[in-house]
Amino acid sequence: MAQTVVIVGAGHAAVQAVDTLRREGHTGPIVLVGEEPHLPYNRPPLSKKYLAGELERERLWLRSAQYYQQHRVETRLGVRVTAIDRGSQRLRLGDGGELTYDKLLLCVGSQPRRLEVPGHELAGIHCLRTIADVDAIRADLAGARRLVVVGGGYIGLEAAACARQLGLETTVLEMADRPMARVVAPEVSAFYVRRHQSEGVKFHCGTAVTGFAGHGRVTAVRCGELEIPADVVIVGVGILPDVTLAAAAGLRCDNGVWVDEQCRTSDPSVYAAGDCTNHPSVRYGRRVRLESVDNAVEQARTAALNICGKPARHEHVPWFWSDQYDVKLQIAG
């Protein structure tokens, strides 16, 4: 009897898993469960062309609705998985329903790290992770003059570039002594600071946010004695792997869901791929957790091959990219 594969999470990894499963001969049911109401979509443009209003929502979809029909994939969108019963191999859903599986693939990604400082609940303060997040930011930016970006990583700098293209006064706050300190050399950081400053972006490095000012809506960002006026704030201070489901189900988790080289968790019927995982790097000889579309896609391919009974291990060289103004940054390794 053909096995049922349930994929939890509707992002890049999920789409790659579907594609690999069908290409490699899996004939059984595939069920794709996504918490957002949208078909799986391309996330990198959210902080770039979609935020800037240069890309229509329909162009974000990774595959059309017809693709899932043609590949006999049941899509359950706008539905949250609330629990995994590993004993009966059953999922409980937020709408009261249940799903049974023979193999389960967790592609649940990550959640934005929150700034739990006074005033963090004020209107006008946003994270940037989903279509809904960007739609809310764009609505606020339409009537704004000053944007403050908290965090000088990829997301923060890409958002700053979009804001300047939209004509907003833009300030970037970064706790480290330079932007993108975690991912690039000092020379590259300096290059991007100069590029942003040439567009009018202001930087405050070595600066920690201590609170937000405002009555109902943010009016300024507080950094100790320093107070920076803001009509809108975008917080991009990193992400945390989403291990809620896995940990509650008793799967091994430590800085992500632990998987082996085959992307299998501590339960041989459960696999995981993407930002949520902590995996052994064959190439670097240690465990790593990578926040990367490329890594998510490659792990999903590996998991799907193993689900199909075709032994494979994840040993891909990771790569990353960022688009800011007219400059593309690409990093391999």
Side-chain angles (χ1 to χ4, degrees), residues 11 15 51 123 228:
V15 173
L51 177 60
I228 302 170

Side-chain angles (χ1 to χ4, degrees), residues 149 261 267:
V149 177
E261 294 172 2
D267 182 330

Side-chain angles (χ1 to χ4, degrees), residues 119-138:
H120 71 273
E121 75 289 346
L122 290 169
I125 301 173
H126 303 271
C127 290
L128 198 164
R129 189 68 178 162
T130 67
I131 284 176
D133 292 337
V134 180
D135 287 347
I137 293 170
R138 287 171 60 177

Side-chain angles (χ1 to χ4, degrees), residues 14 66 70 143 277 319 329:
Q66 289 73 25
Q70 292 168 357
T277 66
W319 72 279
L329 171 67

